[in-house]
């Protein structure tokens, strides 16, 4: 991408998501809150939190069982690991797949903004095959970090973040916590990885 085309794409993505949350019948936002919904809150876009990285793929991916927000369980393959730097410190995140032939990577993570500015249980990143660079690196862009559907409604079941992906640093990018309209009962706060009970 050119220097600012990533920013244009990010803004379009956010506009599309806000429209989906506000009006789509599959929106996780409770129907009685959609009329007052006027868009999610986001951190300002930050190019320093957008990385082009090699995936250090594991030779023999391990299957792990991840607990969910409703005390369920789901199995994932630990596919590989990304290494990156924030403020001069090095961190790693594991990337997961549901099946070996899946093209996308799922990266759940927690960081030091959780329970303050962002959803307490953590956020997710999805990286699609088309997000790779010409030389095969993956674009890991925290500006696309999103809250699971259970951030909007307790009806949803969402995988919890494995401790391996708890980052001891603030990731000030992506979606902030959804507080709902004033006067809502407070039962708020998954995209692809959450589903209704």
């Amino acid at each position: 991408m050119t220097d600012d085309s990533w920013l244009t794409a990010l803004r379009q993505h956010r506009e599309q998501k806000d429209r989906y949350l506000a009006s789509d019948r599959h929106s996780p936002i409770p129907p009685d809150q959609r009329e007052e919904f006027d868009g999610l809150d986001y951190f300002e876009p930050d190019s320093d939190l957008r990385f082009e990285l090699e995936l250090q793929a594991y030779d023999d991916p391990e299957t792990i069982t991840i607990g969910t927000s409703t005390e369920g369980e789901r199995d994932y393959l630990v596919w590989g690991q990304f290494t990156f730097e924030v403020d001069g410190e090095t961190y790693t995140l594991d990337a997961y797949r549901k099946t070996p032939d899946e093209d996308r990577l799922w990266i759940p993570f927690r960081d030091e903004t959780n329970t303050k500015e962002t959803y307490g249980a953590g956020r997710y990143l999805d990286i699609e095959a088309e997000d790779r660079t010409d030389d095969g690196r993956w674009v890991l862009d925290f500006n696309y970090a999103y809250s699971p559907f259970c951030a909007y409604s307790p009806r949803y079941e969402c995988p919890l973040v494995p401790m391996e992906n708890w980052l001891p640093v603030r990731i000030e990018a992506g979606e902030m916590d959804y507080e709902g309209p004033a006067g809502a009962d407070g039962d708020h706060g998954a995209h692809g990885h959450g589903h209704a009970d």
Side-chain angles (χ1 to χ4, degrees):
M1 285 190 168
T2 59
D3 286 350
D4 56 4
S5 62
W6 73 272
L7 186 56
T8 300
L10 175 68
R11 287 174 173 153
Q12 290 173 344
H13 171 82
R14 291 179 174 181
E15 289 169 4
Q16 289 169 357
K17 180 154 190 180
D18 281 344
R19 285 197 299 270
Y20 166 79
L21 291 174
S23 59
D24 194 282
R25 66 189 183 91
H26 297 298
S27 169
I29 291 180
D32 62 347
Q33 295 181 23
R34 291 178 198 164
E35 188 172 331
E36 295 184 50
F37 176 75
D38 60 358
L40 295 177
D41 292 324
Y42 296 94
F43 288 101
E44 286 296 313
D46 186 348
S47 60
D48 289 339
L49 290 170
R50 179 181 186 275
F51 303 94
E52 295 181 357
L53 303 171
E54 295 280 354
L55 176 69
Q56 297 159 307
Y58 295 127
D59 292 334
D60 187 16
E62 174 188 6
T63 297
I64 65 166
T65 299
I66 294 178
T68 73
S69 56
T70 57
E71 299 185 4
E73 293 181 337
R74 298 192 198 172
D75 289 338
Y76 287 88
L77 289 165
V78 189
W79 200 254
Q81 188 176 79
F82 289 113
T83 301
F84 57 96
E85 286 190 8
V86 177
D87 295 333
E89 296 291 329
T90 300
Y91 302 96
T92 61
L93 283 174
D94 278 337
Y96 303 86
R97 282 182 172 168
K98 289 290 287 181
T99 63
D101 55 357
E102 190 176 37
D103 285 339
R104 70 207 306 248
L105 297 172
W106 176 57
I107 305 165
F109 70 95
R110 292 182 64 166
D111 71 277
E112 295 294 316
T113 68
N114 298 154
T115 74
K116 302 178 184 75
E117 299 95 331
T118 61
Y119 181 51
R123 292 178 291 166
Y124 301 160
L125 282 171
D126 293 325
I127 309 181
E128 309 289 343
E130 58 265 28
D131 294 329
R132 302 182 75 170
T133 62
D134 291 342
D135 61 4
R137 288 176 297 168
W138 294 82
V139 178
L140 189 152
D141 189 344
F142 285 107
N143 294 288
Y144 283 89
Y146 65 91
S147 301
F149 273 2
C150 45
Y152 309 111
S153 168
R155 309 180 45 232
Y156 291 88
E157 177 185 23
C158 306
L160 303 175
V161 179
M163 288 188 67
E164 290 79 6
N165 278 15
W166 291 19
L167 298 173
V169 65
R170 288 175 59 82
I171 301 294
E172 297 179 4
E175 290 182 17
M176 302 178 80
D177 200 13
Y178 173 69
E179 297 181 359
D185 62 13
D187 281 338
H188 70 275
H191 179 335
H193 294 264
H195 66 259
D197 293 335

